[in-house]
Amino acid sequence: MARHLLVTDFILPLKSPKLSYLCEPQKGRSNGSQKVSRTVAYYGLKTPPYKLDALEPYMSKRALEVHWGVHHRDFVEDLNKQLGKSDILYGYTMDELVKATYNNGNPLAEFNNAAEVWNHDFFWESMQPGGGNMPKLGLLQQIEKDFGSFTNFREKFVEAALTLFGSGWVWLVLKRHEKQLAVVKTSNSINPLAWDDIPILNLDMWEHAYYLDYKNDRGKYVNEFMNHLVSWNAAMVRMARAEAFVNFGEPEIPIA
Amino acid sequence: MALRSLATRKTLTQGLNSVKLTQSRALQTFSLPDLPYDYGALEPAISGEIMELHHQKHHQTYITNYNKALEQLHEAILKGDSSTVVKLQSAIKFNGGGHINHSIFWKNLAPIREGGGEPPKGSLGWAIDTSFGSFESLIQKISAEGAALQGSGWVWLGVDKELKKLVIETTANQDPLVTKGPNLVPLLGIDVWEHAYYLQYKNVRPDYLKNIWKVINWQYASEVYEKECP
């Protein structure tokens, strides 16, 4: 992945020894009068793929206005402010930025904002109006293979959500090495991309995600999500894409 | 040598048996403490709606789950089921911590007309000036730590009862202050979980932290301080 740094007349400081492998130290040419603008990374706020009132009554318009319009927007703006300070983190996709700022378990200051931007983008797309029900086709088969049954998966997912202490997220991930689906819960803004697994679905269990609609009734929030909001269409698309990266072996082609 | 160890083992098990007997008779359950003020008494710093939910729903849930976990622990200990005993530790830390922390929190707050917001005088006020330069500097530092805390947790003003020193600390989730140091005694804790301010302040935690000082009960903090540092 080519990273293009516009070399202008400034000297790139090597900020921290952790990042020394990322940037090639380039000495700027001191050409006194020339003033060229720097290039830094900058991300935009993605709009959810539905109107803000489309998830009523399970997630109110007001909740989305605040959760997306204020929280998510603030994460994007704060991230951009941090990125504006230097161009060390220039040239990443959102996925790569999350991994890079996670820095193998020693997160950089930008990690929290980057991860929360990613997590919330993923979350809006993990829901749809008229969601819920069950997955179909290959994803259903894989769930039945890895959890025994869909009911068993649902139980595990809900249990993980309700036993999460503090703030965090619940995920359905495809574990890259084990080639299996699993339910995972993470604290604060940690994201399974950090250990190279592939997220298929997520659920925001920070209090701000459900407080306006459900106050402290987490159980109801999680159940409404599973029954009416979760987008198995999105999950199936993500699973199909994941199969390009994880070798499940030869497909079973029925013999005519 | 072997005889001696045999004897001590016997007395030990005898001792344990008598402890078991007393334990099975005296398992204490906890209940929700009453607030010394009305739910709406802390307005406009903290809304009545938040106070009611925070007290009746959140704190009560911690207590209910704490009692449940303690009962399960009690049974597991009686049965000698070590893996259950260890498995229950996180639930006890979380729910027990929640009960401890919130019980302190209600005492840390007081309506303005009952002295809420009044800076501490006496030895605590003096100690604050010595350690932090000024009362305002202390407030600023605590607010900054509280705002910077990622996720859920608490920000504390505590006193190290050995070193007789004031400290500012943060703890994650419902960890009590003692998890940051066995000699730390909490004087003042501020809940920065989202449920503590969300309905009123949304995601602007710094505003919550700015306003809560108007209803902080320094009287209680002074009393605790004077007990630890007479």
Side-chain angles (χ1 to χ4, degrees):
Chain A
M1 165 84 195
R3 281 192 299 284
H4 300 285
L5 279 173
L6 266 180
V7 179
T8 65
D9 56 333
F10 67 92
I11 295 174
L12 190 73
L14 265 177
K15 279 286 167 63
S16 78
K18 290 183 282 194
L19 286 177
S20 55
Y21 74 97
L22 270 184
C23 64
E24 302 96 335
Q26 314 234 2
K27 280 205 208 94
R29 269 157 267 136
S30 45
N31 189 341
S33 53
Q34 204 176 24
K35 218 171 36 155
V36 184
S37 49
R38 291 186 308 157
T39 301
V40 291
Y42 185 88
Y43 295 88
L45 177 64
K46 232 167 154 188
T47 324
Y50 37 76
K51 287 226 196 77
L52 294 185
D53 60 0
L55 299 180
E56 298 250 7
Y58 312 106
M59 196 174 275
S60 67
K61 178 174 183 231
R62 179 90 186 105
L64 275 168
E65 279 173 351
V66 180
H67 197 178
W68 173 74
V70 181
H71 285 264
H72 192 180
R73 189 184 301 274
D74 280 352
F75 284 126
V76 174
E77 284 179 6
D78 289 345
L79 176 64
N80 287 333
K81 258 185 256 170
Q82 284 176 317
L83 293 173
K85 295 193 193 138
S86 87
D87 48 20
I88 283 182
L89 291 170
Y90 175 82
Y92 291 106
T93 61
M94 247 355 263
D95 283 33
E96 292 168 343
L97 185 67
V98 170
K99 281 192 222 181
T101 50
Y102 184 68
N103 201 21
N104 286 311
N106 213 352
L108 310 178
E110 293 86 347
F111 173 73
N112 193 51
N113 288 321
E116 285 295 85
V117 171
W118 196 100
N119 293 338
H120 283 91
D121 280 339
F122 195 78
F123 182 48
W124 307 133
E125 289 164 9
S126 295
M127 294 190 288
Q128 65 170 82
N133 284 317
M134 281 179 52
K136 304 185 193 64
L137 307 172
L139 179 55
L140 180 60
Q141 276 175 17
Q142 192 69 37
I143 286 180
E144 288 175 341
K145 180 157 167 274
D146 295 332
F147 292 97
S149 68
F150 178 75
T151 317
N152 207 22
F153 151 73
R154 192 188 187 288
E155 250 178 54
K156 280 220 147 48
F157 193 85
V158 172
E159 192 202 337
L162 296 179
T163 55
L164 209 172
F165 292 150
S167 311
W169 297 77
V170 187
W171 305 81
L172 173 63
V173 286
L174 177 61
K175 292 183 101 59
R176 217 186 267 261
H177 288 292
E178 294 87 329
K179 300 183 190 182
Q180 266 192 338
L181 290 173
V183 168
V184 163
K185 52 186 178 184
T186 59
S187 281
N188 293 355
S189 44
I190 308 280
N191 177 319
L193 286 178
W195 45 89
D196 224 24
D197 282 339
I198 304 176
I200 304 292
L201 279 177
N202 74 353
L203 173 59
D204 192 350
M205 291 307 295
W206 283 64
E207 288 180 318
H208 66 239
Y210 56 87
Y211 214 74
L212 288 177
D213 289 335
Y214 298 94
K215 302 294 183 311
N216 82 323
D217 196 345
R218 285 158 71 105
K220 190 151 180 257
Y221 166 62
V222 179
N223 276 306
E224 299 289 60
F225 172 80
M226 290 306 287
N227 293 338
H228 300 285
L229 289 175
V230 63
S231 172
W232 288 113
N233 288 332
M236 287 194 281
V237 167
R238 290 161 178 169
M239 189 66 189
R241 181 177 180 273
E243 283 167 10
F245 296 91
V246 177
N247 185 359
F248 280 103
E250 289 294 320
E252 266 177 39
I253 302 172
I255 303 169
Chain B
M1 209 14 199
L3 252 153
R4 213 188 305 154
S5 54
L6 259 175
T8 43
R9 208 195 306 156
K10 207 149 151 236
T11 41
L12 200 65
T13 42
Q14 272 178 349
L16 263 175
N17 277 324
S18 58
V19 169
K20 268 190 215 168
L21 274 168
T22 48
Q23 268 187 342
S24 60
R25 263 185 273 130
L27 183 64
Q28 193 182 24
T29 49
F30 297 91
S31 56
L32 187 65
D34 281 325
L35 291 189
Y37 37 78
D38 287 332
Y39 288 132
L42 302 178
E43 304 227 356
I46 306 179
S47 73
E49 193 190 6
I50 288 183
M51 287 307 292
E52 188 173 349
L53 276 164
H54 204 173
H55 182 241
Q56 279 187 9
K57 289 273 167 13
H58 289 269
H59 191 176
Q60 180 61 68
T61 305
Y62 288 126
I63 290 174
T64 309
N65 291 337
Y66 180 42
N67 286 331
K68 209 169 21 171
L70 282 178
E71 211 189 292
Q72 290 171 336
L73 178 69
H74 182 63
E75 277 172 35
I77 292 178
L78 288 178
K79 279 193 272 183
D81 182 356
S82 298
S83 71
T84 304
V85 168
V86 174
K87 204 168 62 158
L88 284 166
Q89 296 308 308
S90 63
I92 289 177
K93 183 176 176 194
F94 182 66
N95 292 297
H99 173 50
I100 293 172
N101 295 340
H102 285 89
S103 301
I104 298 173
F105 188 49
W106 308 135
K107 294 193 221 151
N108 285 149
L109 300 169
I112 297 176
R113 66 168 181 279
E114 284 170 37
E118 279 260 349
K121 299 166 187 78
S123 58
L124 177 58
W126 190 85
I128 288 174
D129 286 339
T130 318
S131 305
F132 299 98
S134 69
F135 181 64
E136 287 72 30
S137 158
L138 171 79
I139 301 297
Q140 211 216 17
K141 204 151 185 287
I142 296 181
S143 299
E145 294 274 329
L149 197 157
Q150 271 168 23
S152 309
W154 290 73
V155 60
W156 302 94
L157 173 65
V159 61
D160 186 320
K161 61 184 178 190
E162 292 293 304
L163 303 175
K164 309 291 185 204
K165 234 175 63 128
L166 288 174
V167 295
I168 297 177
E169 270 294 352
T170 56
T171 55
N173 296 341
Q174 291 298 349
D175 294 356
L177 180 60
V178 73
T179 56
K180 278 291 171 89
N183 295 318
L184 296 181
V185 175
L187 302 174
L188 165 64
I190 299 180
D191 191 349
V192 289
W193 280 63
E194 285 175 324
H195 65 240
Y197 58 89
Y198 198 70
L199 292 176
Q200 201 177 344
Y201 295 95
K202 304 294 180 303
N203 73 332
V204 194
R205 197 193 280 174
D207 277 358
Y208 160 69
L209 288 168
K210 200 163 58 160
N211 283 309
I212 200 174
W213 295 110
K214 302 183 190 147
V215 289
I216 290 291
N217 182 8
W218 286 105
Q219 179 71 13
Y220 171 75
S222 292
E223 283 167 18
V224 179
Y225 181 76
E226 276 155 27
K227 200 169 76 149
E228 296 298 331
C229 306

